[in-house]
Amino acid sequence: MTIFKHEIRKARIPWLIWTASISFMVVICILMYPQMESEMDAMGNMFASMGSFSAAFGMDKLNFGSFLGFYSVECGNILGLGGAFFACLVGAAALSKEEKDKTAEFLLTHPVSRSTVITEKLDAVLVQVLALNLVVFLLSLICTRISCGQIYWREMLLIHAAYLLLLVELSCVCFGISAFLKNSSLGIGMGLACILYFLNLMANMTDSLKFLKWFTPFSYCEGSDIVINMKLDGGYVLVGLLFTTAGIAAAYWHYTKKDVQ
């Protein structure tokens, strides 16, 4: 557990910054809702009639004027995009940073196998992702209780479960990519998160591009679909789990035989 503890200790400041930033924006959105509620119906009707823009964010299916509509669109996008950036950056740096920072030789001379190194680093990545999602979820529940006087338990649990799966998938895919990298992973992590986010927007806007939903984890995080159907799309989740498994497998397969310098 030495490597795991070292990774967690080293990552605590970036984790705190990302978690605080995402949590702050989500909390502000929720606490602003009561002041905006009287105007939400008009805003909801306006957003629902904006054609492709409405479809891109699911506002053509869900009443943006309701709290759940507002929460799934506004707070969901904050957690989804912000969390995706964090998950991709953490995952993509996990293994590549040892070569980038010239610490690989020191690490691998210790009496631990490469499989152990991979396992403990992966555990550290997943703990960071889980902790971020948990903090945002708990703060969201508290602020929803303050703003609305009630908590929409099932809907919020499903929404946050979907985003947890999203962050786990992205972090594991980038973790697998990091096994092949030797230099900075910042651009790859940020770029992948952006590409997958916009693929989902494009799939929502055009029927001919619906097939793109099978390639992006944002497909099973659609707040409108979750609130209306009260469940996650099993097909998209299954494909996401396959990508997650492939990312982990790639990391073990390549890093255990890689010429680390």
Side-chain angles (χ1 to χ4, degrees):
M1 296 294 287
T2 302
I3 297 173
F4 171 80
K5 292 177 181 178
H6 173 75
E7 291 292 312
I8 293 296
R9 184 169 59 252
K10 190 174 180 180
R12 67 186 185 281
I13 301 302
W15 179 86
L16 283 171
I17 293 173
W18 277 94
T19 302
S21 300
I22 295 172
S23 298
F24 175 76
M25 290 188 286
V26 169
V27 165
I28 291 299
C29 278
I30 296 174
L31 294 180
M32 284 176 57
Y33 179 77
Q35 283 71 45
M36 302 170 61
E37 188 173 10
S38 60
E39 303 174 5
M40 278 300 187
D41 287 336
M43 291 176 62
N45 292 332
M46 179 183 69
F47 283 127
S49 60
M50 294 179 68
S52 296
F53 178 84
S54 301
F57 296 96
M59 290 185 290
D60 57 332
K61 305 175 185 176
L62 197 62
N63 179 15
F64 184 70
S66 68
F67 175 77
L68 284 174
F70 176 80
Y71 183 83
S72 62
V73 174
E74 293 293 332
C75 299
N77 275 294
I78 292 171
L79 175 57
L81 197 52
F85 284 145
F86 174 76
C88 286
L89 291 175
V90 172
L95 295 173
S96 63
K97 65 183 179 182
E98 301 299 341
E99 291 187 83
K100 175 178 175 291
D101 298 336
K102 307 301 181 182
T103 58
E105 183 177 350
F106 172 77
L107 174 64
L108 297 178
T109 55
H110 284 68
V112 292
S113 66
R114 292 198 182 189
S115 294
T116 300
V117 172
I118 297 169
T119 300
E120 294 198 25
K121 282 180 170 285
L122 178 60
D123 289 344
V125 169
L126 294 178
V127 165
Q128 292 178 66
V129 166
L130 176 61
L132 182 147
N133 196 279
L134 182 60
V135 170
V136 175
F137 176 58
L138 293 176
L139 289 174
S140 296
L141 292 179
I142 294 170
C143 293
T144 299
R145 182 70 174 83
I146 294 172
S147 294
C148 301
Q150 62 175 314
I151 297 175
Y152 301 91
W153 283 103
R154 186 173 179 184
E155 292 89 344
M156 295 182 72
L157 279 169
L158 285 171
I159 289 172
H160 282 271
Y163 282 112
L164 176 59
L165 291 175
L166 164 77
L167 302 191
V168 168
E169 179 182 343
L170 290 178
S171 62
C172 288
V173 169
C174 287
F175 186 80
I177 294 173
S178 74
F180 295 82
L181 301 178
K182 292 185 177 182
N183 298 312
S184 176
S185 56
L186 179 63
I188 292 177
M190 298 287 281
L192 181 62
C194 287
I195 289 171
L196 293 176
Y197 179 76
F198 283 105
L199 283 181
N200 188 60
L201 293 184
M202 292 168 61
N204 286 341
M205 294 170 65
T206 308
D207 288 338
S208 61
L209 297 177
K210 286 292 184 185
F211 70 93
L212 292 176
K213 281 186 168 290
W214 294 103
F215 301 98
T216 169
F218 287 94
S219 58
Y220 54 74
C221 295
E222 293 282 0
S224 56
D225 293 335
I226 293 173
V227 172
I228 292 171
N229 300 323
M230 295 298 286
K231 64 178 182 180
L232 305 185
D233 189 301
Y236 292 141
V237 171
L238 178 59
V239 172
L241 292 176
L242 293 176
F243 279 119
T244 301
T245 304
I248 296 173
Y252 278 96
W253 173 75
H254 187 70
Y255 199 77
T256 51
K257 60 187 184 67
K258 179 182 181 181
D259 182 18
V260 180
Q261 300 176 353

